[in-house]
Amino acid sequence: MRHAKSNKHLSRPADQRLAMLRAIVRSLFLSGKVSVTVARAKEARRLAEKIIAVAKQNNLTARRQVESIMGERAITTWIFKNAPERFEGRAGGCTRLVRTGFRRGDAAPMAVLELL
């Protein structure tokens, strides 16, 4: 039974899954939106919301936490410059998930994950 298991495994080992989600979130913060499968988008949304919530604290501990997840100082700097003003009045829900249809090769449901 899957009691108290909070995340989807996405048919990947833990290290590959985390690397994939970090890459999706990096692309999300760099370009503003990213097109992925629905399952991946839902998991990446959880990570992105967590990063934005931590970035709103805007202290050294928060910066180190975000940098440990993102892995790049330039993206971390961008997040801490833009996220607190951009998502100031929001208590959550900083991303939008729009379903866009099905992928041609394997008919996987696709979605666009974007920052509001």
Side-chain angles (χ1 to χ4, degrees):
M1 290 188 199
R2 289 195 81 247
H3 295 307
K5 304 278 188 194
S6 62
N7 61 348
K8 298 274 186 187
H9 294 291
L10 302 173
S11 299
R12 302 252 186 278
D15 57 343
Q16 292 177 14
R17 181 175 61 247
L18 290 176
M20 178 184 63
L21 292 175
R22 286 175 179 167
I24 293 171
V25 172
R26 256 188 233 117
S27 298
L28 175 66
F29 283 123
L30 287 176
S31 65
K33 62 182 177 179
V34 63
S35 178
V36 292
T37 63
V38 172
R40 290 178 182 179
K42 287 180 178 181
E43 286 300 310
R45 178 175 55 180
R46 292 178 64 214
L47 186 60
E49 295 280 347
K50 194 177 296 186
I51 288 171
I52 292 169
V54 170
K56 284 183 182 179
Q57 296 172 4
N58 203 6
N59 57 21
L60 182 62
T61 305
R63 186 173 289 271
R64 286 179 176 166
Q65 286 175 349
V66 170
E67 193 167 340
S68 72
I69 294 170
M70 298 308 292
E72 292 183 32
R73 184 165 289 183
I75 297 174
T76 303
T77 304
W78 183 90
I79 290 170
F80 276 87
K81 273 185 178 176
N82 298 327
E85 306 98 38
R86 188 171 177 178
F87 305 112
E88 184 178 6
R90 293 182 173 268
C94 302
T95 58
R96 176 186 300 144
L97 186 77
V98 180
R99 292 174 186 253
T100 58
F102 298 94
R103 188 163 51 196
R104 182 173 177 163
D106 59 354
M110 297 296 287
V112 173
L113 181 64
E114 56 189 3
L115 294 174
L116 295 179

